[in-house]
Amino acid sequence: MCQYLTGPFAGWSVRGNYLVSPDGDRMTPERIAGLAWREQMELRVAGFASRRKAEAGQKKAGQRQMVKVVVVDLGDFRDRHFGRSAG
């Protein structure tokens, strides 16, 4: 039985117990499970619980927020908030 996949797996097919790439490479279920396990362990080492959280973290890193810096003279700050007798 040969079943062709669609979407992001276009060109890949399922033939018997193998997932076959467009180049003709055959992958067993054990090999696919091993690749998924390795990816999960690499994410764990990087500090992410899942691929979705890792991708969300990358998106957030790309969207840096602007920081507003305010410089205030310490004497003026004391005068304004505590009065002249405190200084």
Side-chain angles (χ1 to χ4, degrees):
M1 179 177 138
C2 180
Q3 182 179 17
Y4 290 95
L5 303 175
T6 60
F9 295 100
W12 289 76
S13 62
V14 177
R15 294 185 187 151
N17 203 24
Y18 294 98
L19 182 62
V20 182
S21 73
D23 298 332
D25 298 329
R26 293 177 177 259
M27 298 178 71
T28 63
E30 293 82 14
R31 174 74 175 145
I32 296 169
L35 291 172
W37 178 84
R38 179 178 175 169
E39 182 182 26
Q40 182 182 13
M41 292 301 113
E42 288 174 355
L43 287 170
R44 180 181 286 178
V45 167
F48 295 107
S50 70
R51 171 63 54 200
R52 286 184 182 169
K53 288 186 179 180
E55 290 172 355
Q58 289 174 351
K59 286 180 185 176
K60 273 195 171 179
Q63 299 172 350
R64 293 188 177 168
Q65 294 186 5
M66 299 297 292
V67 176
K68 185 174 186 177
V69 177
V70 179
V71 178
V72 177
D73 182 34
L74 187 56
D76 291 341
F77 178 80
R78 284 185 188 155
D79 290 344
R80 190 178 322 129
H81 292 283
F82 302 109
R84 292 203 180 266
S85 63

Coordinates of all heavy atoms in Angstrom, one line a residue:
M1 N 0.8 -1.2 0.0 CA 0.0 0.0 0.0 C 0.9 1.2 0.0 O 1.8 1.4 0.8 CB -0.9 0.0 1.2 CG -1.8 1.2 1.3 SD -2.8 1.0 2.8 CE -2.7 2.6 3.4
C2 N 0.6 2.2 -0.9 CA 1.4 3.4 -1.0 C 0.4 4.6 -0.8 O -0.6 4.7 -1.5 CB 2.1 3.5 -2.3 SG 3.0 5.0 -2.5
Q3 N 0.7 5.4 0.2 CA -0.1 6.5 0.5 C 0.7 7.8 0.4 O 1.7 7.9 1.1 CB -0.7 6.3 1.9 CG -1.7 7.4 2.3 CD -2.2 7.1 3.7 OE1 -1.7 6.3 4.4 NE2 -3.3 7.7 4.0
Y4 N 0.3 8.7 -0.4 CA 1.1 10.0 -0.5 C 0.5 11.0 0.5 O -0.7 11.1 0.6 CB 1.0 10.5 -1.9 CG 1.8 9.6 -2.9 CD1 1.2 8.6 -3.6 CD2 3.2 9.8 -3.0 CE1 2.0 7.8 -4.5 CE2 4.0 9.0 -3.8 CZ 3.3 8.0 -4.6 OH 4.1 7.2 -5.4
L5 N 1.4 11.8 1.1 CA 1.1 12.8 2.0 C 1.0 14.1 1.4 O 1.6 14.4 0.3 CB 2.1 12.8 3.2 CG 2.3 11.4 3.9 CD1 3.4 11.5 4.9 CD2 1.0 11.0 4.5
T6 N 0.2 15.0 2.0 CA 0.0 16.4 1.5 C 0.5 17.4 2.5 O 1.0 17.1 3.6 CB -1.4 16.6 1.2 OG1 -2.2 16.5 2.4 CG2 -1.9 15.6 0.1
G7 N 0.3 18.7 2.2 CA 0.7 19.8 3.1 C 2.2 19.9 3.2 O 2.9 19.8 2.2
P8 N 2.7 20.1 4.4 CA 4.1 20.3 4.5 C 4.9 19.0 4.2 O 6.1 19.0 4.0 CB 4.3 20.7 6.0 CG 3.1 20.4 6.7 CD 2.0 20.3 5.6
F9 N 4.2 17.9 4.1 CA 4.9 16.6 3.8 C 4.7 16.2 2.4 O 4.8 15.0 2.0 CB 4.4 15.5 4.7 CG 4.8 15.7 6.2 CD1 3.9 16.3 7.1 CD2 6.0 15.4 6.6 CE1 4.2 16.5 8.4 CE2 6.4 15.7 7.9 CZ 5.5 16.2 8.8
A10 N 4.3 17.2 1.5 CA 4.1 16.9 0.1 C 5.4 16.2 -0.5 O 6.5 16.7 -0.3 CB 3.8 18.1 -0.7
G11 N 5.2 15.1 -1.2 CA 6.3 14.4 -1.8 C 6.7 13.2 -1.0 O 7.3 12.3 -1.5
W12 N 6.4 13.2 0.3 CA 6.7 12.1 1.2 C 5.6 11.0 1.0 O 4.4 11.4 0.6 CB 6.7 12.5 2.6 CG 7.9 13.3 3.0 CD1 8.1 14.6 2.7 CD2 9.1 12.8 3.7 NE1 9.4 15.0 3.2 CE2 10.0 13.9 3.8 CE3 9.5 11.6 4.2 CZ2 11.2 13.8 4.4 CZ3 10.7 11.5 4.9 CH2 11.5 12.6 5.0
S13 N 5.9 9.8 1.2 CA 4.8 8.8 1.1 C 5.0 7.7 2.2 O 6.1 7.6 2.7 CB 4.9 8.1 -0.3 OG 6.1 7.5 -0.5
V14 N 4.0 7.0 2.5 CA 4.0 5.9 3.4 C 3.9 4.6 2.6 O 3.0 4.4 1.9 CB 2.8 5.9 4.4 CG1 2.8 4.7 5.3 CG2 2.9 7.2 5.2
R15 N 5.0 3.8 2.7 CA 5.0 2.5 1.9 C 5.3 1.4 2.9 O 6.4 1.3 3.4 CB 6.1 2.6 0.9 CG 5.8 3.6 -0.2 CD 6.8 3.5 -1.3 NE 6.6 4.6 -2.2 CZ 7.5 5.2 -3.0 NH1 8.8 4.7 -2.9 NH2 7.2 6.1 -3.8
G16 N 4.2 0.7 3.2 CA 4.4 -0.4 4.2 C 4.6 0.2 5.6 O 3.9 1.0 6.1
N17 N 5.8 -0.2 6.1 CA 6.2 0.3 7.5 C 7.2 1.4 7.4 O 7.8 1.8 8.4 CB 6.8 -0.9 8.2 CG 6.7 -0.7 9.7 OD1 5.8 0.0 10.2 ND2 7.6 -1.4 10.5
Y18 N 7.4 2.0 6.2 CA 8.4 3.0 6.1 C 7.8 4.4 5.7 O 6.8 4.4 4.9 CB 9.4 2.7 5.0 CG 10.2 1.5 5.3 CD1 9.9 0.2 4.8 CD2 11.4 1.6 6.1 CE1 10.6 -0.9 5.1 CE2 12.1 0.5 6.4 CZ 11.8 -0.8 5.9 OH 12.5 -1.9 6.2
L19 N 8.4 5.4 6.1 CA 8.1 6.8 5.6 C 9.2 7.1 4.6 O 10.4 7.0 4.9 CB 8.1 7.8 6.7 CG 7.7 9.2 6.4 CD1 6.3 9.3 5.8 CD2 7.9 10.1 7.6
V20 N 8.8 7.4 3.3 CA 9.8 7.5 2.3 C 9.8 9.0 1.8 O 8.8 9.6 1.5 CB 9.4 6.6 1.1 CG1 10.4 6.7 0.0 CG2 9.3 5.1 1.5
S21 N 11.1 9.5 1.8 CA 11.2 10.9 1.4 C 11.2 11.0 -0.1 O 11.2 10.0 -0.8 CB 12.6 11.4 1.9 OG 13.6 10.8 1.1
P22 N 11.1 12.3 -0.6 CA 11.0 12.4 -2.1 C 12.4 12.0 -2.7 O 12.4 11.6 -3.9 CB 10.9 14.0 -2.2 CG 10.3 14.4 -1.0 CD 10.8 13.5 0.1
D23 N 13.4 11.9 -1.9 CA 14.7 11.5 -2.5 C 14.8 9.9 -2.4 O 15.8 9.4 -3.0 CB 15.9 12.0 -1.6 CG 15.9 13.5 -1.7 OD1 15.5 14.1 -2.7 OD2 16.4 14.1 -0.7
G24 N 13.9 9.3 -1.8 CA 13.9 7.8 -1.8 C 14.5 7.3 -0.5 O 14.6 6.1 -0.3
D25 N 14.8 8.1 0.5 CA 15.3 7.6 1.8 C 14.1 7.0 2.6 O 13.1 7.6 2.7 CB 15.9 8.8 2.6 CG 17.1 9.4 1.9 OD1 17.8 8.6 1.2 OD2 17.4 10.6 2.1
R26 N 14.4 5.8 3.1 CA 13.4 5.2 3.9 C 13.6 5.3 5.4 O 14.8 5.1 5.8 CB 13.3 3.7 3.6 CG 12.9 3.4 2.2 CD 12.9 1.9 1.8 NE 12.4 1.7 0.5 CZ 11.2 1.2 0.3 NH1 10.4 1.0 1.2 NH2 10.8 1.0 -1.0
M27 N 12.6 5.7 6.1 CA 12.7 5.9 7.6 C 11.8 4.9 8.3 O 10.6 4.9 8.0 CB 12.4 7.3 8.0 CG 13.4 8.3 7.3 SD 13.0 10.0 7.7 CE 13.4 10.1 9.4
T28 N 12.3 4.2 9.2 CA 11.5 3.3 10.0 C 10.8 4.0 11.2 O 11.2 5.1 11.5 CB 12.3 2.2 10.7 OG1 13.3 2.8 11.5 CG2 13.1 1.4 9.6
P29 N 9.7 3.5 11.7 CA 9.1 4.1 12.9 C 10.1 4.4 14.0 O 10.0 5.4 14.7 CB 8.0 3.2 13.3 CG 7.7 2.4 12.0 CD 9.0 2.3 11.3
E30 N 11.0 3.4 14.2 CA 12.0 3.6 15.3 C 12.9 4.8 15.1 O 13.2 5.5 16.0 CB 12.8 2.3 15.5 CG 12.0 1.1 15.9 CD 11.3 0.4 14.8 OE1 11.5 0.6 13.6 OE2 10.4 -0.4 15.1
R31 N 13.3 5.0 13.8 CA 14.1 6.1 13.5 C 13.4 7.4 13.7 O 14.0 8.4 14.2 CB 14.6 6.0 12.0 CG 15.4 7.1 11.5 CD 16.8 7.1 12.1 NE 17.5 8.2 11.4 CZ 18.4 8.9 12.1 NH1 18.7 8.6 13.3 NH2 19.1 9.9 11.5
I32 N 12.2 7.5 13.3 CA 11.4 8.7 13.5 C 11.2 9.0 15.0 O 11.3 10.1 15.4 CB 10.0 8.6 12.8 CG1 10.3 8.5 11.3 CG2 9.1 9.8 13.1 CD1 9.0 8.1 10.5
A33 N 10.9 7.9 15.8 CA 10.8 8.1 17.2 C 12.1 8.6 17.8 O 12.1 9.4 18.7 CB 10.3 6.8 17.9
G34 N 13.2 8.1 17.3 CA 14.5 8.5 17.8 C 14.8 10.0 17.5 O 15.3 10.7 18.3
L35 N 14.4 10.4 16.3 CA 14.6 11.8 15.9 C 13.8 12.7 16.8 O 14.2 13.8 17.2 CB 14.3 12.0 14.4 CG 15.3 11.4 13.4 CD1 14.8 11.5 12.0 CD2 16.7 12.0 13.5
A36 N 12.5 12.3 17.0 CA 11.6 13.1 17.9 C 12.2 13.2 19.3 O 12.1 14.2 19.9 CB 10.2 12.5 17.8
W37 N 12.7 12.0 19.8 CA 13.3 12.0 21.2 C 14.5 12.9 21.2 O 14.6 13.7 22.2 CB 13.7 10.6 21.5 CG 14.3 10.5 22.8 CD1 13.7 10.4 24.1 CD2 15.7 10.5 23.1 NE1 14.6 10.3 25.1 CE2 15.9 10.4 24.5 CE3 16.8 10.6 22.3 CZ2 17.1 10.4 25.1 CZ3 18.1 10.6 22.9 CH2 18.2 10.5 24.3
R38 N 15.3 12.9 20.2 CA 16.5 13.8 20.3 C 16.1 15.2 20.3 O 16.7 16.1 21.0 CB 17.4 13.5 19.1 CG 18.6 14.4 19.1 CD 19.6 14.1 18.0 NE 20.6 15.1 18.0 CZ 21.7 15.0 17.3 NH1 21.9 14.0 16.5 NH2 22.6 15.9 17.4
E39 N 15.1 15.6 19.4 CA 14.7 17.0 19.4 C 14.1 17.4 20.7 O 14.4 18.5 21.2 CB 13.6 17.2 18.3 CG 13.2 18.6 18.2 CD 12.1 18.8 17.1 OE1 11.4 17.8 16.8 OE2 12.0 19.9 16.6
Q40 N 13.4 16.5 21.4 CA 12.8 16.8 22.7 C 13.9 17.0 23.7 O 13.8 18.0 24.5 CB 11.9 15.7 23.1 CG 11.2 16.0 24.4 CD 10.3 14.8 24.9 OE1 10.4 13.7 24.3 NE2 9.5 15.0 25.9
M41 N 14.9 16.2 23.7 CA 16.0 16.4 24.6 C 16.8 17.7 24.4 O 17.3 18.3 25.3 CB 17.0 15.2 24.6 CG 16.4 13.9 25.1 SD 15.8 14.0 26.8 CE 14.1 13.8 26.6
E42 N 17.0 18.0 23.1 CA 17.7 19.3 22.8 C 16.9 20.5 23.3 O 17.4 21.5 23.8 CB 18.0 19.4 21.3 CG 19.0 18.5 20.8 CD 19.2 18.5 19.3 OE1 18.4 19.1 18.6 OE2 20.2 17.8 18.9
L43 N 15.5 20.4 23.2 CA 14.7 21.5 23.7 C 14.8 21.6 25.2 O 14.8 22.6 25.8 CB 13.2 21.3 23.2 CG 12.9 21.5 21.8 CD1 11.5 21.0 21.4 CD2 13.1 23.0 21.5
R44 N 14.8 20.4 25.8 CA 14.9 20.4 27.3 C 16.2 21.0 27.8 O 16.2 21.8 28.7 CB 14.8 18.9 27.8 CG 14.9 18.9 29.3 CD 14.8 17.4 29.8 NE 13.4 17.0 29.7 CZ 13.0 15.8 30.0 NH1 13.9 14.9 30.5 NH2 11.8 15.4 29.9
V45 N 17.3 20.7 27.1 CA 18.6 21.3 27.5 C 18.6 22.8 27.2 O 19.2 23.5 28.0 CB 19.7 20.6 26.6 CG1 21.0 21.4 26.7 CG2 19.9 19.2 27.1
A46 N 17.9 23.2 26.2 CA 17.8 24.7 25.9 C 16.8 25.4 26.9 O 16.8 26.6 26.9 CB 17.4 24.9 24.5
G47 N 16.1 24.6 27.7 CA 15.2 25.2 28.6 C 13.8 25.4 28.2 O 13.0 26.2 28.7
F48 N 13.3 24.7 27.1 CA 12.0 24.9 26.6 C 11.2 23.6 26.8 O 11.8 22.5 26.7 CB 12.0 25.2 25.1 CG 12.6 26.5 24.8 CD1 13.9 26.6 24.2 CD2 11.9 27.7 25.1 CE1 14.4 27.8 23.9 CE2 12.5 28.9 24.8 CZ 13.8 29.0 24.2
A49 N 9.9 23.7 27.1 CA 9.1 22.5 27.4 C 8.6 21.9 26.1 O 8.4 20.7 26.0 CB 7.9 22.9 28.3
S50 N 8.5 22.7 25.0 CA 8.0 22.2 23.8 C 8.5 23.0 22.6 O 9.0 24.1 22.8 CB 6.4 22.1 23.8 OG 5.9 23.5 23.7
R51 N 8.3 22.5 21.4 CA 8.6 23.3 20.2 C 7.9 24.6 20.1 O 8.4 25.6 19.7 CB 8.4 22.4 19.0 CG 8.6 23.0 17.6 CD 9.9 23.6 17.3 NE 11.0 22.6 17.4 CZ 12.3 22.9 17.6 NH1 12.6 24.2 17.6 NH2 13.2 22.0 17.7
R52 N 6.6 24.5 20.5 CA 5.7 25.7 20.4 C 6.3 26.8 21.3 O 6.3 28.0 20.9 CB 4.3 25.4 20.8 CG 3.5 24.7 19.8 CD 2.1 24.5 20.2 NE 1.4 23.7 19.2 CZ 0.2 23.2 19.4 NH1 -0.4 23.4 20.5 NH2 -0.4 22.5 18.5
K53 N 6.7 26.4 22.5 CA 7.2 27.5 23.4 C 8.6 28.0 22.9 O 8.9 29.2 23.1 CB 7.4 26.9 24.8 CG 6.1 26.7 25.5 CD 6.2 26.2 26.9 CE 4.8 26.0 27.6 NZ 4.9 25.6 29.0
A54 N 9.4 27.1 22.3 CA 10.7 27.6 21.8 C 10.4 28.6 20.6 O 11.1 29.6 20.5 CB 11.5 26.4 21.2
E55 N 9.5 28.3 19.8 CA 9.2 29.2 18.6 C 8.6 30.5 19.2 O 8.9 31.6 18.7 CB 8.2 28.5 17.7 CG 8.9 27.4 16.9 CD 7.9 26.6 16.0 OE1 6.7 26.8 16.1 OE2 8.4 25.7 15.3
A56 N 7.7 30.4 20.2 CA 7.2 31.6 20.8 C 8.3 32.5 21.4 O 8.2 33.7 21.4 CB 6.1 31.3 21.8
G57 N 9.2 31.8 22.0 CA 10.4 32.5 22.6 C 11.2 33.2 21.6 O 11.7 34.4 21.8
Q58 N 11.4 32.6 20.4 CA 12.1 33.3 19.4 C 11.4 34.5 18.8 O 12.0 35.5 18.5 CB 12.4 32.3 18.2 CG 13.4 31.2 18.6 CD 13.5 30.1 17.5 OE1 12.7 30.1 16.6 NE2 14.5 29.3 17.7
K59 N 10.1 34.4 18.7 CA 9.3 35.5 18.2 C 9.4 36.7 19.2 O 9.5 37.8 18.8 CB 7.8 35.1 18.1 CG 7.6 34.2 16.8 CD 6.1 33.8 16.7 CE 5.9 32.9 15.6 NZ 4.5 32.4 15.5
K60 N 9.3 36.4 20.5 CA 9.4 37.4 21.5 C 10.8 38.1 21.5 O 10.9 39.3 21.7 CB 9.1 36.9 22.9 CG 7.6 36.9 23.3 CD 7.5 36.7 24.7 CE 6.0 36.9 25.1 NZ 5.7 36.7 26.5
A61 N 11.8 37.3 21.3 CA 13.1 37.9 21.3 C 13.3 38.8 20.1 O 14.0 39.8 20.2 CB 14.2 36.7 21.2
G62 N 12.6 38.6 19.0 CA 12.6 39.4 17.8 C 11.8 40.7 18.0 O 12.1 41.7 17.3
Q63 N 10.9 40.7 19.0 CA 10.0 41.8 19.2 C 10.5 42.6 20.5 O 9.8 42.6 21.5 CB 8.6 41.4 19.3 CG 8.0 40.7 18.1 CD 6.7 40.1 18.4 OE1 6.2 40.1 19.5 NE2 6.0 39.7 17.4
R64 N 11.6 43.2 20.4 CA 12.1 43.9 21.6 C 11.3 45.1 21.9 O 11.0 45.9 20.9 CB 13.6 44.2 21.4 CG 14.5 43.0 21.4 CD 15.9 43.4 21.4 NE 16.7 42.1 21.5 CZ 18.0 42.1 21.3 NH1 18.7 43.2 21.1 NH2 18.7 41.0 21.4
Q65 N 11.0 45.4 23.1 CA 10.3 46.5 23.4 C 11.2 47.7 23.7 O 12.3 47.5 24.2 CB 9.4 46.3 24.7 CG 8.3 45.2 24.4 CD 7.4 45.1 25.6 OE1 7.5 45.8 26.5 NE2 6.5 44.1 25.5
M66 N 10.7 48.9 23.4 CA 11.5 50.1 23.6 C 11.6 50.3 25.1 O 10.7 50.1 25.9 CB 10.9 51.3 22.9 CG 10.8 51.1 21.4 SD 12.4 51.0 20.6 CE 13.1 52.6 20.9
V67 N 12.8 50.9 25.6 CA 13.0 51.2 27.0 C 13.1 52.7 27.1 O 13.8 53.3 26.3 CB 14.3 50.5 27.5 CG1 14.5 50.9 28.9 CG2 14.1 49.0 27.4
K68 N 12.4 53.3 28.0 CA 12.5 54.7 28.2 C 13.4 55.0 29.4 O 13.3 54.5 30.5 CB 11.1 55.3 28.5 CG 11.1 56.8 28.6 CD 9.6 57.3 28.8 CE 9.6 58.8 28.7 NZ 8.2 59.2 28.8
V69 N 14.4 55.8 29.2 CA 15.4 56.1 30.2 C 15.2 57.5 30.6 O 15.1 58.5 29.8 CB 16.9 56.0 29.6 CG1 17.9 56.4 30.7 CG2 17.1 54.6 29.2
V70 N 15.0 57.7 31.9 CA 14.8 59.0 32.5 C 15.9 59.4 33.4 O 16.3 58.6 34.4 CB 13.5 59.1 33.3 CG1 13.2 60.5 33.9 CG2 12.3 58.7 32.4
V71 N 16.6 60.5 33.2 CA 17.7 60.9 34.1 C 17.2 62.1 35.0 O 16.7 63.1 34.5 CB 18.9 61.4 33.3 CG1 20.0 61.9 34.2 CG2 19.4 60.3 32.4
V72 N 17.3 61.9 36.3 CA 16.7 62.8 37.2 C 17.9 63.2 38.2 O 18.6 62.4 38.7 CB 15.6 62.2 38.0 CG1 15.0 63.2 39.1 CG2 14.5 61.8 37.1
D73 N 18.0 64.5 38.4 CA 19.0 65.0 39.4 C 18.5 64.6 40.8 O 17.3 64.9 41.1 CB 19.1 66.5 39.2 CG 20.1 67.1 40.2 OD1 21.2 66.4 40.4 OD2 20.0 68.2 40.7
L74 N 19.3 64.0 41.6 CA 18.9 63.5 42.9 C 18.5 64.6 43.8 O 17.5 64.5 44.6 CB 20.1 62.7 43.5 CG 19.8 62.0 44.8 CD1 18.6 61.0 44.6 CD2 21.0 61.2 45.3
G75 N 19.1 65.8 43.7 CA 18.7 66.9 44.6 C 17.3 67.4 44.2 O 16.5 67.7 45.1
D76 N 17.0 67.5 43.0 CA 15.7 67.9 42.5 C 14.6 66.9 43.0 O 13.5 67.3 43.4 CB 15.6 68.1 41.0 CG 16.4 69.3 40.5 OD1 16.7 70.2 41.4 OD2 16.7 69.3 39.3
F77 N 15.0 65.6 42.9 CA 14.0 64.6 43.3 C 13.7 64.7 44.8 O 12.6 64.6 45.2 CB 14.6 63.2 43.0 CG 13.8 62.0 43.4 CD1 12.7 61.6 42.6 CD2 14.0 61.3 44.6 CE1 11.9 60.6 43.0 CE2 13.2 60.3 45.0 CZ 12.2 59.9 44.2
R78 N 14.8 64.9 45.6 CA 14.5 65.0 47.1 C 13.7 66.2 47.4 O 12.8 66.1 48.2 CB 15.9 65.1 47.8 CG 16.6 63.8 47.9 CD 17.9 64.0 48.7 NE 18.7 62.8 48.7 CZ 20.0 62.8 48.9 NH1 20.6 64.0 49.2 NH2 20.7 61.7 48.9
D79 N 14.0 67.3 46.7 CA 13.2 68.6 47.0 C 11.8 68.4 46.6 O 10.9 68.8 47.3 CB 13.8 69.7 46.2 CG 15.2 70.2 46.7 OD1 15.5 69.8 47.9 OD2 15.9 70.9 46.0
R80 N 11.5 67.8 45.5 CA 10.2 67.6 45.0 C 9.3 66.6 45.8 O 8.2 66.9 46.1 CB 10.2 67.1 43.5 CG 8.8 67.2 42.9 CD 8.8 66.7 41.4 NE 10.0 67.2 40.7 CZ 10.7 66.3 39.9 NH1 10.4 65.1 39.8 NH2 11.7 66.8 39.3
H81 N 10.0 65.6 46.3 CA 9.2 64.5 47.0 C 9.3 64.6 48.5 O 8.4 64.1 49.2 CB 9.7 63.1 46.6 CG 9.3 62.8 45.1 ND1 8.0 62.5 44.8 CD2 10.0 62.9 44.0 CE1 8.0 62.3 43.5 NE2 9.2 62.5 43.0
F82 N 10.3 65.2 49.1 CA 10.5 65.2 50.5 C 10.6 66.6 51.1 O 10.6 66.8 52.3 CB 11.7 64.4 50.9 CG 11.7 63.0 50.4 CD1 12.5 62.5 49.4 CD2 10.8 62.1 51.0 CE1 12.5 61.2 49.0 CE2 10.7 60.8 50.6 CZ 11.6 60.3 49.6
G83 N 10.8 67.6 50.3 CA 10.9 69.0 50.7 C 12.3 69.3 51.0 O 13.2 68.5 51.0
R84 N 12.6 70.6 51.2 CA 14.0 71.1 51.4 C 14.6 70.7 52.7 O 15.8 70.6 52.9 CB 14.0 72.6 51.2 CG 13.8 73.0 49.7 CD 14.4 74.3 49.4 NE 14.1 74.7 48.0 CZ 14.9 74.5 47.0 NH1 16.1 73.9 47.3 NH2 14.6 74.8 45.8
S85 N 13.8 70.5 53.7 CA 14.3 70.2 55.1 C 14.9 68.8 55.2 O 15.7 68.6 56.0 CB 13.2 70.4 56.1 OG 12.1 69.5 55.9
A86 N 14.5 67.9 54.3 CA 15.0 66.5 54.3 C 16.4 66.5 53.8 O 17.2 65.5 54.2 CB 14.1 65.6 53.5
G87 N 16.9 67.4 53.0 CA 18.2 67.3 52.4 C 19.2 67.9 53.2 O 20.4 67.7 53.3

